[in-house]
Amino acid sequence: MSGSARGIENLIELMAKLPGLGPRSARRAVLYLIRKRALLLVPLADAISEVATTARECVNCGNICTSEICDICANNKRANGTICIVESVADLWAMERANVFKGRYHVLGGTLSALDAMGPDELGIPRLLARVQNEDTTEVILALNATVDGQTTAHYIADELRGRCAVTSLAQGVPIGGELDYLDDGTITAALKARKTL
Amino acid sequence: MSGSARGIENLIELMAKLPGLGPRSARRAVLYLIRKRALLLVPLADAISEVATTARECVNCGNICTSEICDICANNKRANGTICIVESVADLWAMERANVFKGRYHVLGGTLSALDAMGPDELGIPRLLARVQNEDTTEVILALNATVDGQTTAHYIADELRGRCAVTSLAQGVPIGGELDYLDDGTITAALKARKTL
């Protein structure tokens, strides 16, 4: 691509590597940024530099934060004794948006996977077990994705924790606002098996 | 949204303002950036800061560049005497990607539009006419979008330039690889009217 200066081309190439953006949308985004210099380009430059220097993993739970211990782990108002296990930071943020869980989290950073050579040690399962012990945990909630790898990992962790504390997992069933006609057979089967008395 | 530190939330909010990104894809992009710190986050921070300080409009043609005169206007190998008029910098870059035009450009930055109060003065038409005079232009190529506003603007500029130099416009017709069945009636009509002897 020519017609633009080297620095601008470089920025377009980097933006095109973001998920959800390709070369065409990266060009559009960069032109938009340059048009909105004061309102967007300069603030974005500052924000991204700040995150580049400050963002780090919470040493306790694996959440992304700007201090050694994340806001959730540092918050005394959150219940001790309950740990919600999620696969990724994105899942942790999704749980927080629902604004219903008031305990602590543990981010696995992936799932057990023979293909990707992800075993219990790579996932930090021993560290999780130590944490469950140290924090006098009474309940571990498994909020892993309802995929094959996610459920395999959930069963492995549940086996490891058996006898140490209560282990629960998110309910499976019909999503709120979901229409039966558009649901897959697996979800309908799970929802029927887990039916409740009204 | 909670669960993330203030600086990270701020970056997500800014990213969500980019065209093609919403809150969800901005979160995904920021998490991806933080995971790829050395490979993507730090280079992007540098690139965006550089563009924020250096990007500016070419005083001659309106292209975006990092110097007073853009690479195209400064390039002695490009033909003088031919000016291609485009609506936006994105259009200029699209022309350059086709790599077939070897003259100079003029970026209008919009089209005539009564609704948006864009008249000839707001579009800088007098400056364009002066440029055509000063550069001994022999041909002006109108490469405006094939929209109502684009074509209105093209006709206005053609009228203003009448007698001063040759005025041409991009051919309209069937796009390369286009299938007649998927083309609109207007394009087929234009292609038929402009049919050529083989």
Side-chain angles (χ1 to χ4, degrees), chain A residues 5-18 30 33-34 37 41-42 44-46 48-49 52, chain B residues 33 37-55 64-66:
Chain A
R6 185 68 218 131
I8 297 172
E9 279 181 49
N10 182 33
L11 177 57
I12 293 172
E13 275 166 30
L14 288 169
M15 293 284 283
K17 289 182 184 164
L18 290 178
V30 168
L33 276 175
I34 293 172
R37 183 192 299 262
L41 181 55
V42 175
L44 187 63
D46 295 343
I48 211 163
S49 298
Chain B
L33 276 175
R37 182 193 300 262
L39 215 65
L40 198 51
L41 181 55
V42 174
L44 186 63
D46 295 343
I48 211 164
S49 298
E50 191 197 323
V51 168
T53 49
T54 61
I64 283 174
C65 57
T66 50

Side-chain angles (χ1 to χ4, degrees), chain A residues 59-103:
Chain A
V59 292
N60 195 39
C61 74
N63 187 14
I64 283 174
C65 56
T66 51
S67 44
E68 195 176 351
I69 302 287
C70 76
D71 290 352
I72 296 174
C73 287
N75 187 344
N76 287 326
K77 287 189 187 146
R78 296 191 73 118
N80 258 325
T82 313
I83 297 179
C84 176
I85 301 184
V86 289
E87 279 180 36
S88 68
V89 174
D91 294 342
L92 188 160
W93 291 358
M95 290 289 297
E96 281 296 287
R97 282 199 299 281
N99 198 22
V100 64
F101 177 68
K102 296 297 176 198

Side-chain angles (χ1 to χ4, degrees), chain A residues 2-5 8 12 14-15 17-19 27 31-32 34 37 43-45 48 52 55 63-64 66 90 93 97, chain B residues 3-5 8 12 14-15 17-19 27 31-32 34 37 43-45 48 52 55 63-64 66 89-90 93 96-97:
Chain A
S2 55
S4 55
I8 297 172
I12 293 172
L14 288 169
M15 293 284 283
K17 289 182 184 164
L18 290 178
R27 271 197 304 275
L31 280 175
Y32 184 82
I34 293 172
R37 183 192 299 262
L44 187 63
I48 211 163
N63 187 14
I64 283 174
T66 51
W93 291 358
R97 282 199 299 281
Chain B
S4 55
I8 298 172
I12 294 172
L14 288 168
M15 292 283 285
K17 289 181 186 164
L18 291 179
R27 272 197 302 274
L31 279 175
Y32 184 82
I34 293 173
R37 182 193 300 262
L44 186 63
I48 211 164
N63 187 13
I64 283 174
T66 50
V89 174
W93 291 359
E96 281 298 285
R97 282 199 301 282

